[in-house]
Amino acid sequence: MSAHGHSNALIPERAARRLGPVSMRRRGFIAAGLLVACVLPFMLPSYMLFQLTMVMAYALALLGLNLLTGFNGQISLGHGAFFALGAYAAAMLIELAGWPYWATLPAAALLGGVVGYLFGRPALKLDGVYLALATFALGVVTPQLLKYKGLEPWTGGSQGIVLDKPDAPFGLPLNADQWLYFFGLAVVLLMFLVAHNLLRGAIGQSLIAVRDHPIAAEAMGIDKARVKSITFGISALYTSVGGALSAVAVQFVAPDSFTVFLSISLLVGAVVGGLSSLSGALYGAVFIQFVPAFAEQVSKAAPWAVYGAILLVLMLVWPTGVAGGVARLQSWITSRSTS
Amino acid sequence: MINPFVLGLAFTLALASGSAAAQKKYDPGATDTEIRIGQTMPYSGPASIYGEVGKTQAAYFKMVNEQGGINGRQIKFLSLDDGYSPPKTVEGVRKLVEQEQVLLLYGMFGTATNTAVHRYVNAKKVPHLLLLTGASKWNDPAKNPWSMSFFPDYPSEARVYAQNILETKPNAKIAVLYQNDDYGRDYLQGFKQGLGAKTKTMIVAEASYEVTDPMVDSQLVQLQASGADVLVSFSTAKAAIQTLRKVHGSGWKPTHYMAQGAALIGAVFNPAGPEKAVGVISTAYAKDPNDKQWETDAAYLDWLAFMKKYRPEGDLRLGSNVYAYSSARLMVDILRACGDNLTRANVLKQAASIKAVQLPMFLPGVVVSSGPQDYRLIRSLQPVTFDGKRWNKLGDFVTVF
Amino acid sequence: MNAFVSQLLAGLATGGIYASLALALVVIYRSTHHVNFAQGEMAMFATFITALLIEAGWPYWAAFFATLVIAFAMGAVIEALLIRRLRTAPVLSIVVVFVALLVILHSLAGWLFGYAIRPFPSPFAETSWYGGSLLSPHQVGAIAVTFLMLALVYVFFRFSPLGLCMRATAENPVSSRLVGVRVNRMLALGWGLAGAIGAVAGMMIAPVVFLDVHMMSGVLLYAFAAAVLGGIGSAPGAVAGGFIVGVLENMLGTYVVGPELKLSVALVLIIGVLVVRPDGLFGKAVVVRV
């Protein structure tokens, strides 16, 4: 994007600092959070567990989007396409090939990674507004492609594919919703851990370098094209896994579930949650899942106007997202306690 | 020896509790004072125009409540927005069943959305009634006994058109415009079934459009170029209006068959210009609210009064409002017939044993009935044709199979 | 042959729709370097206002010009109250604000105006004087109006001092302020202009497509593609892009892949062009100082 008054980067560089080794206090928070997360399934009703499992699926999707937009500075208005890819891959493998549900997640990951990389290769030549168009186009055509008559025997056409919910294995005393929740939790933990290590390693540093100082990075020998396409691949991989998890939770896939509005929602969630921050993915997922229903309670007549208004307020108050706001709150608390 | 007094008391108690048990039976969602009905509807998103149905249904229930409720119980109607997105439908339905504890689900819209939840509701044995979708899959009492739709199914309607063409124009060349989703495709499939062996020879052109497409001109140009003399359009309101306008302007004069959902005087023909719709053939089972022949009809006047009092902001041109009114009335009738036995099983039983009800806003002669083996509530359709002012009958009622 | 010509003309007619909205997108881009995703909804909202005025009895042209003023004001106010505060915010936050605007306008329109479909009057004659029935007089008139707007925009940006100030503001607000350009005013002006152009686009589109809340939802992608294809900073490019996209889509849908895949193929082609010519067909390469 051209120079015009504010930063070239899609997010302020300040945020990159937060990616150091995880502090003790932070570890404490995470452990406490995990404990709460493990206890919840025994306290909440089943349908709320379903909602939380959806939050996990969106968190994975947003993590993927975050990697691309926040940490690598590219833009995507069409990540719903990768979400749909993972969801349909899972559904087709379960329904047509009889795979067990847990095996579909790695398959979705592989597929997402490959397709993302292949899309990223030509797309990396585009920047800013042009990449926005290309990805927006991807998001718009996704439902059409899913409905395409030629693919109907596999995709179920407009009617979609119905799945069964898996039961807890090994005769564990959990109902299907509880089991899926724990399964999702395990997947999310694993994927977040991998992302955290990835970002601290060589690949992660090249990602961020390409975002912040592309010319300097190239001068230092980083292959910008390769980094960008690999990032696209990893990003699509994560979002695909999120899609697969969502398919198993909802037990249904249809083209109507993956419209361009999903892609836009994912972007909104990523930005609201806080780009270039792993916790941002979680905040964003909670936003996507719960705020529309909340808005409906506030106003039955124009709920999306309320949603939009909430969005506006959040952007005006916290342009760097909730994670940015939380970070500021944390540093304010620490400065208070040390003064 | 047992004290006769104690015996008598025990006997009386047993009798009392036995008959009390026989008198009132409740499943979650029903109490002495309340019946909870749940629904998800597309109040937002591309199908938001159908949200009007939900609003009119809510207004009808409000009216019933003001008139004393159903057997003294007030209706609590919980209608959530699902934006026509199946994951949101699943979420909404689960919330309604598990948290809000509704007695039944009623009048939900859309094939994909209802498909997303039908396994769940059948597993949970929650009545899933009077759905607003014409897909043929909803008449399946063997596999999905708890799901029942309230729409003459699309393929049956399409077969009526096919039959009509075979009888009146056996050498016609047919061009088909259809919406590219389960609505349009279901119709197309039924139409082809109706034409049978002559499908390949009679259909000379097919063109689809997406509901998000701004215009259908290109498809119409293509269809006209095929030389067809019959046009069949399986579309919804917007595309239908554009079709009427474009076909009239282009000088092409095919015989035009139009799917019932779009064949409305107020919502479609008037915006396009009623003279452009002269000769359109469709089928009907209800009274078109903008058809002047019903102007003095008692049922129409009742409906109008209802809309003015309980839905003043409602658009009187929409067929949805007639449909919603009739469907809500039927739902109330079903619940009334349950009496004090408000178990889910009984609600389903009453819904599956409706005996020839003539709903007031339905055409005289179109009766609603159901049986445990056949859930299709509306079984006859009246082919009609438009003369610029009103719908005229085109032959007799057709019983759909 | 006749069918081919009809398809071509139908493509030009649809292309005209895309071109007019693309023009509004380009005006905002030239004055603020943002792509306003809410442009379509703003145009739809403005068209509804016109419809209400006409229903209230106003004559067409009075309603038309009144709406232009209202749409201009709406655009300027949105810029002043919202976008200005986000001047230093990250680009994606601004994108999200556009999404929020889109959602708010769409929802408000549904609530205020209802979801039914209305006819919208056209200022052009009903029947054509040139005898043909391939393009209605309105479609011809709408294309003419698009070209007129293009001419006005082009002349404005290229030759007028105000246009120069606006371009300077977009390129380099700091320097512009230093030479005395009222940056805030220029930005508001840019948004107001785009709002007015969008309103005209809406009023030209509505008679053909019919007015409802979803009128512009399907057009946004095409207008965006048209603007980018033509070169996001170029007004003539946007209009050319619009016609190209319209004709391309029609031809692909009729002769090559059928209507179900035409969108996908059209977009693949457009993106292919962009990969080869990254600045669009008529855009100028922007050289950025490191």
Side-chain angles (χ1 to χ4, degrees), chain A residues 286-302:
Chain A
V286 169
F287 182 87
I288 300 180
Q289 177 63 28
F290 292 114
V291 171
F294 170 74
E296 199 185 342
Q297 292 196 319
V298 171
S299 157
K300 202 77 204 283

Side-chain angles (χ1 to χ4, degrees), chain C:
Chain C
M1 200 53 210
N2 204 7
F4 183 81
V5 171
S6 299
Q7 283 294 357
L8 194 63
L9 290 175
L12 285 176
T14 336
I17 294 180
Y18 306 149
S20 49
L21 194 63
L23 200 54
L25 285 176
V26 164
V27 168
I28 289 225
Y29 190 82
R30 287 197 85 172
S31 44
T32 64
H33 280 229
H34 293 135
V35 176
N36 178 12
F37 291 106
Q39 194 69 56
E41 306 306 300
M42 284 168 64
M44 175 269 293
F45 205 88
T47 315
F48 263 107
I49 293 178
T50 323
L52 286 182
L53 289 177
I54 294 179
E55 261 169 49
W58 290 40
Y60 180 86
W61 289 110
F64 183 92
F65 284 109
T67 304
L68 282 192
V69 170
I70 296 174
F72 184 95
M74 233 170 67
V77 162
I78 291 177
E79 199 284 328
L81 288 182
L82 274 180
I83 315 294
R84 194 169 297 179
R85 271 172 231 266
L86 293 157
R87 205 80 65 75
T88 50
V91 164
L92 277 183
S93 305
I94 302 183
V95 170
V96 168
V97 166
F98 290 142
V99 170
L101 265 179
L102 188 158
V103 158
I104 291 177
L105 284 171
H106 191 97
S107 182
L108 275 183
W111 177 49
L112 292 171
F113 310 123
Y115 290 98
I117 303 171
R118 299 164 202 244
F120 191 82
S122 160
F124 305 107
E126 253 301 314
T127 50
S128 56
W129 48 264
Y130 48 83
S133 57
L134 293 170
L135 273 184
S136 72
H138 176 81
Q139 286 172 320
V140 173
I143 294 177
V145 167
T146 305
F147 276 109
L148 181 64
M149 285 199 298
L150 169 64
L152 288 173
V153 165
Y154 186 77
V155 162
F156 175 76
F157 274 115
R158 190 86 195 280
F159 299 116
S160 77
L162 200 54
L164 183 60
C165 291
M166 278 174 66
R167 277 159 57 206
T169 308
E171 293 291 333
N172 198 333
V174 176
S175 303
S176 309
R177 200 171 266 134
L178 287 173
V179 297
V181 173
R182 308 268 216 118
V183 164
N184 284 348
R185 207 170 276 190
M186 290 303 113
L187 291 168
L189 188 60
W191 267 74
L193 262 185
I197 295 179
V200 175
M203 291 191 271
M204 290 297 115
I205 293 174
V208 179
V209 167
F210 292 88
L211 176 62
D212 76 334
V213 162
H214 302 295
M215 179 171 83
M216 289 300 200
S217 311
V219 179
L220 183 67
L221 173 66
Y222 291 109
F224 189 11
V228 170
L229 181 66
I232 187 74
S234 158
V239 172
F243 288 116
I244 294 174
V245 169
V247 172
L248 183 68
E249 185 210 358
N250 267 15
M251 291 302 154
L252 282 175
T254 314
Y255 298 111
V256 181
V257 281
E260 293 186 20
L261 285 181
K262 67 176 178 185
L263 182 57
S264 317
V265 176
L267 290 167
V268 167
L269 286 176
I270 291 173
I271 292 166
V273 167
L274 289 176
V275 169
V276 170
R277 269 193 72 100
D279 297 304
L281 293 174
F282 303 99
K284 285 191 277 280
V286 174
V287 177
V288 177
R289 271 261 209 98
V290 174

